[in-house]
Amino acid sequence: MPSLKSHFVSFVLRYSRKKAFSSPENLQRWIAAARKTEDHHPPVSLQQRFDIQTRAVDGFPVYEIAPRAGERKRILYLHGGAYVFEITPYHWYLIADMADRLGYAVTVPIYPIAPEHDFHAMFGMVGNVYRRMLDETEPEDIVFMGDSAGGNMAVVLTMMAAEQGLPPPSRHVLISPGLDVSLANPAVFEAERNDPWLGIAGGREAIRLYSAGMLPTDWHISPVYGDLSVLPKTLLLTGSRDLLTPDNLIFAQKARSAGVEVELVYEEGMFHVWPLIDMPESRRARQHIVTFLNDVGAPISQGTRTSFEAPSAEAAE
């Protein structure tokens, strides 16, 4: 049963953030307002706890969170925000928790966002970040982790790397990723009614702003239509009150059919990117992530879905 805090957060989201995605005009207004207050710097409390270095790639900052002594493994964290909003303290606190509990270094690119920039600028920058990581770290010691739009970017970046002959990371952790912007699945429209955060009208506008005119079924923006066989072992976390979940279930099914080892965590009653918010369900989700990344070398059963049983992709359609 969802916690009382999750019900409270859902209520707040529905009467605040949901408005941003209710229409193209509202999204544009929220973007304009956000630009006046956004700050990509890590919160002061994190700067006091970690050795945080900054470097520039293509003119944009990249933060490096130092690991425990001797740890070689690294996470490339790609933050969410519908491609139009900057990283938030919620992202930073999740990043800090992962750095603390795993002891991995975390690389956090503050990538160019829309509407000031588009797909090509975003992936030009994060692609260069990954190339630099490969110069410093073996691919088997690199993990891609991303939430929402960042989950999409993690998958697309791996597919683009394969196209360019670069090695993939060792694992993916995808938190409520957006993997199909085509809206071809009618279940998405039904799911929108139960989603306290996301809306299709505003989401379409965000895609228009960043997609550089690509077709909605182009795998560069809808990776569910690409060659999923190039992907590494994947942990995908999705909730029953997220309009992206029907497509996430289809992605998991297609990836497994392509030979990818996928662990699916489906949490009943949970909304978009719930692991970012401090509540019981978030702590459970974060433990799944830590277990998945600590269990390097152990095979994942193709049938594994964890204790939270997800409906089949067919049932979601």
Side-chain angles (χ1 to χ4, degrees):
M1 178 179 296
S3 66
L4 288 176
K5 184 166 184 178
S6 76
H7 286 295
F8 173 75
V9 173
S10 293
F11 177 84
V12 171
L13 289 170
R14 185 170 292 280
Y15 292 98
S16 58
R17 298 292 297 184
K18 182 89 172 179
K19 295 178 182 178
F21 292 96
S22 63
S23 71
E25 296 77 18
N26 273 5
L27 185 73
Q28 291 278 7
R29 283 193 285 269
W30 277 68
I31 292 170
R35 292 297 183 271
K36 298 176 183 177
T37 59
E38 287 173 325
D39 181 2
H40 61 70
H41 294 88
V44 173
S45 60
L46 269 67
Q47 298 180 43
Q48 294 171 343
R49 289 168 50 203
F50 296 97
D51 178 14
I52 302 177
Q53 304 295 322
T54 311
R55 58 179 173 177
V57 174
D58 297 350
F60 292 89
V62 179
Y63 292 99
E64 301 285 352
I65 313 297
R68 289 197 295 259
E71 179 57 74
R72 300 190 312 270
K73 297 185 182 299
R74 294 174 70 179
I75 293 171
L76 174 62
Y77 193 93
L78 298 167
H79 72 83
Y83 313 100
V84 299
F85 295 116
E86 196 53 89
I87 193 169
T88 71
Y90 293 104
H91 296 107
W92 281 118
Y93 293 131
L94 172 63
I95 290 164
D97 193 28
M98 294 297 102
D100 268 338
R101 297 173 67 180
L102 290 163
Y104 292 8
V106 187
T107 298
V108 187
I110 307 302
Y111 57 82
I113 55 178
E116 295 88 348
H117 307 276
D118 66 9
F119 170 94
H120 301 294
M122 292 180 197
F123 280 91
M125 187 266 188
V126 297
N128 286 334
V129 170
Y130 184 45
R131 288 185 185 89
R132 293 194 183 193
M133 291 178 72
L134 289 171
D135 289 340
E136 303 160 351
T137 308
E138 294 299 321
E140 57 266 27
D141 290 328
I142 297 175
V143 172
F144 286 180
M145 184 183 302
D147 67 279
S148 192
N152 170 294
M153 293 177 70
V155 176
V156 171
L157 183 58
T158 296
M159 296 167 108
M160 292 179 72
E163 191 175 54
Q164 297 164 17
L166 298 175
S170 65
R171 294 199 173 194
H172 277 173
V173 175
L174 310 177
I175 302 170
S176 302
L179 301 172
D180 185 356
V181 304
S182 73
L183 300 177
N185 182 359
V188 171
F189 294 88
E190 177 67 22
E192 182 188 28
R193 296 194 300 181
N194 295 320
D195 189 318
W197 189 339
L198 301 182
I200 289 172
R204 276 177 164 158
E205 178 67 0
I207 298 304
R208 184 187 71 81
L209 293 172
Y210 105 98
S211 62
M214 286 183 276
L215 293 174
T217 53
D218 189 320
W219 66 260
H220 292 87
I221 58 174
S222 291
V224 71
Y225 298 109
D227 179 8
L228 304 185
S229 69
V230 303
L231 303 181
K233 295 179 181 180
T234 295
L235 173 64
L236 193 159
L237 301 99
T238 198
S240 69
R241 299 187 67 195
D242 185 342
L243 73 81
L244 302 180
T245 290
D247 290 333
N248 286 340
L249 299 179
I250 290 172
F251 171 85
Q253 185 180 74
K254 285 188 172 182
R256 286 170 174 160
S257 296
V260 180
E261 296 180 73
V262 178
E263 181 174 338
L264 177 65
V265 173
Y266 174 95
E267 181 99 24
E268 189 65 41
M270 286 303 99
F271 44 82
H272 191 59
V273 299
W274 84 93
L276 273 67
I277 298 171
D278 183 23
M279 54 188 188
E281 294 86 354
S282 167
R283 292 189 284 275
R284 192 157 55 220
R286 293 183 186 194
Q287 184 56 49
H288 276 291
I289 296 171
V290 170
T291 300
F292 175 76
L293 294 180
N294 273 333
D295 194 23
V296 174
I300 304 170
S301 167
Q302 289 288 339
T304 297
R305 283 206 179 106
T306 79
S307 58
F308 309 104
E309 190 65 18
S312 67
E314 291 81 1
E317 293 178 358

